[in-house]
Amino acid sequence: AWAVINPFLIMLAVTFVFVCVFRTDIKDFSRFVLAGIFPWFFFSNAVSDAAFSIPNQKNVLRQFNLPAEMIPLASVLGNFLNFLVGWIFIFPLFLWFKPQIITLAPLLLTGLFLTLIFVSGAGLMISILNLYFRDIGQLLSVILMFWFWVTPVFYSVEMVPPSYRWICAVNPMTQFIIFYRGVLFEGRVPL
């Protein structure tokens, strides 16, 4: 339930700020945000959990002869299962507003798989860094908050001034957000 409740609550707060306070011009802003925030939450939660997974599960590693990388990968897969369960509620909502996205379901499955691969790599990397540099774990929440704000979750890349678009270009999460927004919100194959 939290895999769906948290993104919805953040979407409602961001929608209030950007629709009522800043008066954004984006039509159906709440769905626009939801298409971006839902995959962001998977990424953020999975990387956060993976970062601390090896130190938190060192007893499991001592008891069983497992490769250490299985622990963060299991953490990412657990978050991915929550992400998939969330799709049971999210996808019908988008389908209600844009029935043509049903034809993009195979593309969406490909996107989900690619997202899992990327998040698995990021989770492994941060879990290894956290083993050698314990401060990474302490900095992670700040890094993810900064990363959230420079990722076009609640704004489009076109809204970013041209001189700063390079930030979106080097941000790997930008491409995933653009993909999900293209398929779910716009009902088109993202290029």
Side-chain angles (χ1 to χ4, degrees):
W2 291 112
V4 176
I5 293 171
N6 283 340
F8 267 107
L9 291 176
I10 298 296
M11 178 266 304
L12 289 174
V14 168
T15 299
F16 170 76
V17 169
F18 281 87
V19 171
C20 298
V21 178
F22 291 126
R23 308 228 187 260
T24 184
D25 294 338
I26 298 173
K27 189 178 182 222
D28 298 321
F29 187 74
S30 56
R31 285 189 304 115
F32 176 86
V33 170
L34 190 59
I37 208 162
F38 192 61
W40 173 264
F41 262 82
F42 163 57
F43 167 75
S44 176
N45 291 337
V47 168
S48 294
D49 289 351
F52 299 101
S53 62
I54 294 175
N56 290 345
Q57 299 296 327
K58 59 185 166 189
N59 291 335
V60 172
L61 288 171
R62 287 184 190 135
Q63 290 177 350
F64 301 101
N65 189 15
L66 290 173
E69 60 269 8
M70 295 302 292
I71 302 295
L73 286 176
S75 178
V76 169
L77 285 175
N79 277 285
F80 187 68
L81 287 176
N82 285 338
F83 186 49
L84 291 178
V85 168
W87 279 103
I88 294 170
F89 300 99
I90 299 293
F91 189 71
L93 175 72
F94 285 100
L95 195 58
W96 173 268
F97 288 98
K98 283 226 187 281
Q100 67 267 30
I101 67 170
I102 196 70
T103 62
L104 300 173
L107 182 64
L108 188 59
L109 291 175
T110 303
L112 289 169
F113 177 73
L114 292 174
T115 305
L116 174 61
I117 298 297
F118 171 72
V119 173
S120 295
L124 278 171
M125 185 178 72
I126 200 72
S127 68
I128 292 168
L129 284 172
N130 192 37
L131 286 175
Y132 292 104
F133 308 103
R134 290 295 182 164
D135 291 338
I136 293 290
Q138 301 303 318
L139 289 172
L140 186 60
S141 62
V142 174
I143 291 168
L144 286 172
M145 185 185 350
F146 176 78
W147 198 342
F148 172 74
W149 289 106
V150 298
T151 302
V153 172
F154 53 88
Y155 56 89
S156 67
V157 175
E158 294 77 27
M159 294 170 73
V160 177
S163 59
Y164 293 106
R165 286 193 188 159
W166 65 270
I167 296 170
C168 293
V170 299
N171 181 349
M173 279 306 292
T174 296
Q175 297 310 312
F176 288 104
I177 301 301
I178 289 171
F179 170 81
Y180 286 107
R181 192 170 284 142
V183 171
L184 296 171
F185 180 72
E186 298 167 4
R188 65 170 179 80
V189 177
L191 299 175

